[in-house]
Amino acid sequence: MISKNKIKLVRALETKKGRAKQGLFVAEGPKVVGDLLAAGFELVELFEEEEDIKKVSFLQHPQGKLGIFKLPEQTKTESGECETTVGGGQKVLLGEHELALALDGVQDPGNLGTIIRVADWFGIKRIFCSTDTADCWNPKVVQATMGSIARVKMYYLKLNELIDSLPTDYPVYGTLLDGEDIYEEKLSANGLIVMGNEGNGISADIRQRVNRKLLIPNFSVGTTHAESLNVAIATAVVCSEFKRR
């Protein structure tokens, strides 16, 4: 029988403050828990009894496993590069020859979780988030990734400082209304792809640092059409076009 203290602990992990205080996060379901274990995340406690899980689950329909894991450590080097330590001290830096995502104020947990899943599908291993982007260890985000959170490295930092630390000719892409048609524009094999806030897009501060503006054109016929694309769907379109080339 799960104790009241354990129930209180799991409930505390629903909030960012609680996760930071305890240094822990929650993952639910055999797939997500299994993927985190395979990636080297440290399991603190595992609940598998149906009655126990019902008492602590954040899901409407609880699944067969609920795990409490240690949060991965994140640091920032003096040079401005970002690194994280997960599963036995593996260090990861922003690669000069890789494609990475940057999220500028993406606030919806479902969108963030889907973007992480999209990145995993298209082989993008690093996502750099502004400090006002939703917390990737939120239970809703972890669940929405369907295990991809185990394979995509997440960093929280000041995006302007990250971009400023890159070489001046480093490709920094952003989807903007005054951008060039993504289906006609030449795309590089490496670079940083910036995706913006659900309502406001890329912030003015980051927009001025984008050196390669892209546009996903609207193909609707007639005067009435969707005003914009959901940021997670737009990310999938952009990633697909980069990887297709």
Side-chain angles (χ1 to χ4, degrees):
M1 180 74 69
I2 188 171
S3 69
K4 290 183 178 179
N5 284 339
K6 288 289 173 63
I7 294 175
K8 184 178 180 180
L9 171 63
V10 175
R11 290 299 174 198
L13 300 181
E14 187 173 15
T15 68
K16 184 176 181 179
K17 182 179 179 180
R19 291 189 294 274
K21 181 179 179 180
Q22 300 294 334
L24 304 170
F25 72 97
V26 172
E28 296 196 55
K31 174 71 167 61
V32 181
V33 170
D35 285 358
L36 287 167
L37 288 172
F41 282 75
E42 184 175 344
L43 180 68
V44 174
E45 187 137 8
L46 180 65
F47 301 100
E48 297 183 280
E49 295 295 329
E50 183 177 351
E51 289 303 313
D52 289 346
I53 294 175
K54 283 183 178 180
K55 292 178 181 179
V56 294
S57 177
F58 298 116
L59 303 177
Q60 185 176 359
H61 302 290
Q63 300 181 21
K65 289 186 179 182
L66 184 148
I68 299 177
F69 290 86
K70 280 193 174 182
L71 286 172
E73 296 178 5
Q74 178 179 302
T75 60
K76 184 176 179 182
T77 65
E78 292 181 0
S79 64
E81 295 176 311
C82 296
E83 59 183 18
T84 187
T85 304
V86 176
Q90 180 186 12
K91 291 185 178 180
V92 184
L93 300 177
L94 175 60
E96 294 181 2
H97 306 290
E98 298 181 42
L99 200 61
L101 285 174
L103 304 183
D104 184 20
V106 173
Q107 297 178 346
D108 181 77
N111 282 338
L112 178 56
T114 302
I115 288 171
I116 294 170
R117 192 174 178 183
V118 165
D120 186 26
W121 181 263
F122 287 104
I124 294 174
K125 299 302 183 183
R126 299 169 174 81
I127 298 180
F128 297 87
C129 303
S130 63
T131 55
D132 59 343
T133 291
D135 182 18
C136 66
W137 306 113
N138 180 318
K140 293 179 181 179
V141 177
V142 174
Q143 189 64 30
T145 71
M146 291 301 293
S148 291
I149 189 72
R151 292 176 291 275
V152 178
K153 307 305 181 186
M154 305 295 296
Y155 310 82
Y156 285 81
L157 71 168
K158 294 180 179 179
L159 288 183
N160 57 345
E161 293 183 1
L162 170 65
I163 296 173
D164 289 347
S165 73
L166 299 172
T168 54
D169 59 345
Y170 194 88
V172 179
Y173 292 93
T175 51
L176 298 164
L177 292 176
D178 59 343
E180 301 295 329
D181 189 329
I182 190 172
Y183 300 114
E184 298 179 359
E185 190 71 2
K186 182 179 179 180
L187 305 176
S188 61
N190 70 314
L192 191 66
I193 303 172
V194 182
M195 304 301 296
N197 173 268
E198 288 88 346
N200 302 316
I202 299 173
S203 64
D205 185 38
I206 301 302
R207 191 181 301 130
Q208 66 181 5
R209 290 172 164 81
V210 171
N211 53 35
R212 304 193 185 188
K213 299 178 181 180
L214 298 175
L215 171 71
I216 301 174
N218 190 309
F219 292 95
S220 293
V221 177
T223 58
T224 303
H225 53 73
E227 184 177 294
S228 62
L229 281 177
N230 170 278
V231 65
I233 293 174
T235 302
V237 171
V238 172
C239 290
S240 177
E241 189 61 19
F242 269 88
K243 293 297 185 176
R244 185 185 68 84
R245 301 296 177 93

